[in-house]
Amino acid sequence: MEYFFSKEHEWVKISGTTATVGISDHAAHELGDITFVELPQVGKTVKQFDTLAAIESVKAASDIYAPVSGKVIAVNETLENAPEVVNESAEESGWICVLEISDPAEVKNLMNRASYDEYLATL
Amino acid sequence: MEQLKSTPLTSHHRALGSLMAPFGGWDMPIQYEGIIAEHRACREQAALFDICHMGEFIFSGDFVKDGLEDVFTFSVASIPVGRSRYGFLLNETGGIIDDLIVFRLADDKAMIVVNAATADNDFEVIKGRLTGGGIANVTAVTGKLDLQGPLSREVMSRLFEPSVCNLPYFKFTTAKVLGFEAIVSRTGYTGELGFEIFIPEAKIPELWEMILADDRVKPAGLGSRDILRLEVGYSLYGSDLSEQITPLEAGLDSFVNFDKNFIGKDALLKQKTEGLTRIKVPFRVASRRSPRHDYRIMKDGADVGVVTSGAFSPMLGCGIGIGFVSPQMAAPGTLLTIVHDKVSMDAEVCQLPFFKEGSLRN
């Protein structure tokens, strides 16, 4: 299934009306050892690019933005006590939450993997 | 801006894939494999740190007659040869110019080990206070490696005589290694059993390689060192200590000897009489969130102080920090809130050290 990426280094994988969200391998690597993930409340609704969650590492505290608009329907509770899973597998088992999305067309504001890789090369 | 100084290990660090950053005017390794992994290596096995950036001065002369005895907050003349002592160099207002360790090398000789960022100024200040004798800044020709961790004595036993490996805490000795006289000291900055080794700068790469050849030892950077020292409550100059903070405010009275003379004594005595308006406070966060330098400390909605050091503690599994508040807020059990932008975390004043099970005195 195809991943789309934001300029703020979130990824989203869309399946029907649901979207799984996380941070990219690049972002996890840049943050260094991740020590805390503030998961969003289930039921919270967010607009595309609004603050969705927060993440802290040995280096910095950062916000995670919603790559698409939607309502939070599930969160990855494993991360509460094992945030290091994001370092180990940012784009698979280190997912942050699942959104129920209203407008799949919003992916036009995101990059596919090839474009994201090109974008990373410019940073 | 002044050019960054390099230790003789820069190419070694880069070959190990380290992330480098400026620290105290030096280009230093922050991490290799990762800060948490290096922290664990030091708590569980052994870690090797490049500490060549720290400053070293050699004093020769009569400790009392030449004025060295009055320079620091502790007596240097009463340190037995082969022992070292920690304390402060103060300004007239009692503020901390630096925290340092003096090693008594001989009746008429001492090595003074200071922080990197403050070294040049320290040297001028100390020199200016001496009335005789000689002092030399040997930082550029003196290298220092710290081997720390519960297995460090076993690792040392492959390189040094048993008498060196069995040194008691805060004792040091000279020992031959790589054909040179090294100073080996049972001190460190991690709360673990460990050794600080001083040898000529030119021999550092060889010693680094020799110690790392033992596969129980991992190279560790300043990132893990900062968490290690905070977990055991050691202060970091430039963060927790400065020229605006006195040893009394920093809760380090036990390193100040009021039975002798030193610059800043009058200011400290005055502070003792009048009472402190702020004091160092250690606190634990109720979550895995990290407090960080310059975050504000709040109590019942009012801003009551500032965080000077903070981190996630891998040993405690929560955020820990040190800050400064008024003495009324410093009692263990006091509930505080740490705030920065949108981030807010509940915290509780505790006692030092945060982590008590280190191998330091093994």
Side-chain angles (χ1 to χ4, degrees):
Chain A
M1 203 163 307
E2 198 176 359
Y3 284 72
F4 293 93
F5 296 85
S6 70
K7 284 192 168 175
E8 299 289 344
H9 309 286
E10 291 87 14
W11 58 262
V12 61
K13 191 170 70 172
I14 295 174
S15 164
T17 58
T18 65
T20 309
V21 173
I23 66 164
S24 71
D25 283 332
H26 169 83
H29 182 76
E30 287 295 303
L31 282 168
D33 291 319
I34 290 162
T35 51
F36 173 74
V37 179
E38 184 185 51
L39 297 167
Q41 290 277 345
V42 172
K44 169 181 176 162
T45 56
V46 283
K47 288 219 167 69
Q48 189 176 33
F49 305 135
D50 278 357
T51 305
L52 173 67
I55 194 160
E56 293 197 8
S57 75
V58 288
K59 282 190 217 153
S62 335
D63 285 332
I64 298 174
Y65 303 98
V68 289
S69 306
K71 184 169 104 176
V72 178
I73 55 171
V75 296
N76 187 355
E77 284 169 3
T78 310
L79 303 184
E80 280 177 0
N81 291 313
E84 63 274 13
V85 172
V86 178
N87 288 114
E88 291 155 12
S89 173
E91 297 182 10
E92 296 287 348
S93 39
W95 61 278
I96 307 286
C97 67
V98 178
L99 300 174
E100 186 179 84
I101 57 168
S102 41
D103 184 5
E106 281 178 345
V107 296
K108 70 176 187 296
N109 302 323
L110 303 172
M111 294 169 273
N112 63 19
R113 186 174 298 275
S115 312
Y116 180 62
D117 286 344
E118 278 172 35
Y119 169 67
L120 290 182
T122 66
L123 298 181
Chain B
M1 204 180 120
E2 220 174 305
Q3 174 106 33
L4 282 182
K5 291 178 223 161
S6 296
T7 82
L9 292 171
T10 301
S11 62
H12 289 70
H13 298 322
R14 293 202 190 282
L16 288 164
S18 80
L19 173 74
M20 307 287 287
F23 181 85
W26 294 69
D27 186 29
M28 296 302 292
I30 302 304
Q31 64 169 69
Y32 306 86
E33 175 188 353
I35 289 174
I36 304 273
E38 291 158 30
H39 167 279
R40 188 181 308 124
C42 186
R43 288 270 180 255
E44 294 177 0
Q45 298 210 339
L48 185 64
F49 301 85
D50 174 5
I51 307 297
C52 291
H53 59 307
M54 285 186 77
E56 294 90 6
F57 313 142
I58 300 288
F59 168 84
S60 311
D62 185 306
F63 286 22
V64 176
K65 266 203 297 207
D66 295 330
L68 189 69
E69 178 66 358
D70 293 344
V71 172
F72 308 114
T73 58
F74 54 103
S75 166
V76 288
S78 64
I79 306 174
V81 173
R83 293 233 175 223
S84 56
R85 199 169 280 171
Y86 171 84
F88 307 102
L89 176 67
L90 301 185
N91 61 29
E92 292 284 353
T93 58
I96 301 169
I97 297 173
D98 206 1
D99 66 332
L100 48 88
I101 296 183
V102 173
F103 293 74
R104 181 114 194 210
L105 302 178
D107 280 341
D108 59 352
K109 205 170 165 196
M111 177 170 72
I112 304 160
V113 179
V114 303
N115 284 295
T118 44
D120 290 345
N121 182 53
D122 290 353
F123 184 73
E124 294 308 319
V125 171
I126 295 168
K127 202 172 154 185
R129 290 183 188 179
L130 294 175
T131 51
I135 185 164
N137 186 344
V138 295
T139 304
V141 293
T142 308
K144 175 172 180 281
L145 298 182
D146 287 11
L147 178 65
Q148 304 274 303
L151 300 187
S152 57
R153 185 181 286 127
E154 288 173 46
V155 173
M156 289 289 284
S157 71
R158 290 193 181 174
L159 308 172
F160 293 97
E161 301 270 316
S163 61
V164 176
C165 305
N166 293 325
L167 277 170
Y169 188 48
F170 261 81
K171 257 197 123 177
F172 70 89
T173 186
T174 53
K176 264 244 151 80
V177 64
L178 298 167
F180 280 83
E181 283 281 302
I183 293 174
V184 180
S185 170
R186 244 309 288 291
T187 40
Y189 197 47
T190 63
E192 298 297 331
L193 170 69
F195 300 84
E196 299 185 283
I197 308 166
F198 299 86
I199 59 163
E201 181 105 356
K203 306 305 288 183
I204 283 285
E206 219 177 316
L207 182 63
W208 172 266
E209 287 164 17
M210 231 163 80
I211 297 175
L212 278 189
D214 189 317
D215 58 18
R216 295 171 294 185
V217 185
K218 270 192 185 183
L222 297 186
S224 58
R225 185 172 155 93
D226 191 47
I227 298 176
L228 290 158
R229 68 89 192 169
L230 182 60
E231 282 185 330
V232 287
Y234 296 160
S235 297
L236 173 65
Y237 195 86
S239 293
D240 311 310
L241 307 176
S242 75
E243 293 225 29
Q244 283 72 47
I245 295 171
T246 72
L248 306 185
E249 292 168 328
L252 298 167
D253 318 32
S254 56
F255 303 102
V256 179
N257 180 352
F258 284 101
D259 297 331
K260 65 178 277 294
N261 287 323
F262 58 89
I263 287 177
K265 183 177 172 180
D266 292 345
L268 295 191
L269 287 173
K270 185 161 177 274
Q271 203 171 42
K272 265 193 159 182
T273 318
E274 292 176 355
L276 300 172
T277 56
R278 59 174 179 178
I279 191 166
K280 178 175 81 179
V281 64
F283 57 86
R284 283 174 74 144
V285 175
S287 72
R288 295 178 60 104
R289 278 196 184 277
S290 304
R292 293 171 204 265
H293 188 73
D294 280 344
Y295 281 19
R296 301 304 308 180
I297 302 175
M298 314 284 288
K299 172 79 180 158
D300 303 327
D303 187 317
V304 297
V306 64
V307 175
T308 52
S309 279
F312 170 76
S313 162
M315 299 314 286
L316 278 73
C318 65
I320 56 172
I322 286 174
F324 283 82
V325 296
S326 70
Q328 300 92 291
M329 317 255 170
T334 306
L335 299 177
L336 302 170
T337 310
I338 311 301
V339 175
H340 177 73
D341 290 341
K342 297 172 294 181
V343 173
S344 164
M345 55 193 103
D346 294 333
E348 183 176 338
V349 176
C350 61
Q351 282 173 318
L352 291 177
F354 296 104
F355 171 66
K356 301 173 180 69
E357 290 82 42
S359 57
L360 178 66
R361 289 171 195 278
N362 285 10

